[in-house]
Amino acid sequence: MILAVLILNEVEYLDDILKGFVDIGIKGATVFDSTGMARVIGSSGDIPVYGLLRRVLHPEYETNKTILTVIEEAQYDMMKKKINDVTGGLSKPDSGILFTLPVLTSEGIGGKND
């Protein structure tokens, strides 16, 4: 099993990605708001305090979504294809990042203890 992590900058695709996960048999994922370092400090190289102040003064400050899901390795290629089909490809600048980590042990996934 692997942990797939998708940091999605183009949040308008979130619903379609999650529906696509269901279509390919991915039964669960955790989604949370996240903010990248570049958005916090800005492109001018500000120190983080100024980035935080900018966020308070500008409530429209954007966040991205981070999606975590534990899947079988065999599901990864289908998941990656679904994400790229929906987003037009993660190779586009600032679209998102996808990576995996091995899951050595788990409990509570799919109602069973591994």
Side-chain angles (χ1 to χ4, degrees), residues 39-42 46-61:
R39 288 186 179 162
V40 172
I41 64 173
D46 296 343
I47 60 172
V49 172
Y50 292 122
L52 180 60
L53 181 60
R54 184 183 310 113
R55 186 170 55 191
V56 170
L57 295 174
H58 300 284
E60 72 278 4
Y61 192 83

Side-chain angles (χ1 to χ4, degrees), residues 55-114:
R55 186 170 55 191
V56 170
L57 295 174
H58 300 284
E60 72 278 4
Y61 192 83
E62 292 184 42
T63 60
N64 48 31
K65 299 289 185 184
T66 296
I67 305 165
L68 307 174
T69 185
V70 176
I71 60 174
E72 297 292 335
E73 284 187 60
Q75 292 175 294
Y76 177 73
D77 287 337
M78 291 183 296
M79 184 187 81
K80 183 171 79 170
K81 180 179 181 341
K82 187 64 74 171
I83 291 167
N84 284 311
D85 288 348
V86 168
T87 64
L90 294 179
S91 60
K92 296 182 311 189
D94 298 320
S95 56
I97 299 168
L98 174 64
F99 62 92
T100 63
L101 299 167
V103 174
L104 302 178
T105 63
S106 65
E107 241 183 274
I109 296 174
K112 64 180 182 181
N113 292 333
D114 297 329

Side-chain angles (χ1 to χ4, degrees), residues 8 12-29 31 67 78-79 82-83 86:
L8 183 65
E12 64 271 18
Y13 297 126
L14 179 63
D15 288 346
D16 290 335
I17 288 171
L18 295 176
K19 288 174 188 171
F21 283 6
V22 172
D23 291 345
I24 61 173
I26 296 174
K27 297 177 180 172
V31 180
I67 305 165
M78 291 183 296
M79 184 187 81
K82 187 64 74 171
I83 291 167
V86 168

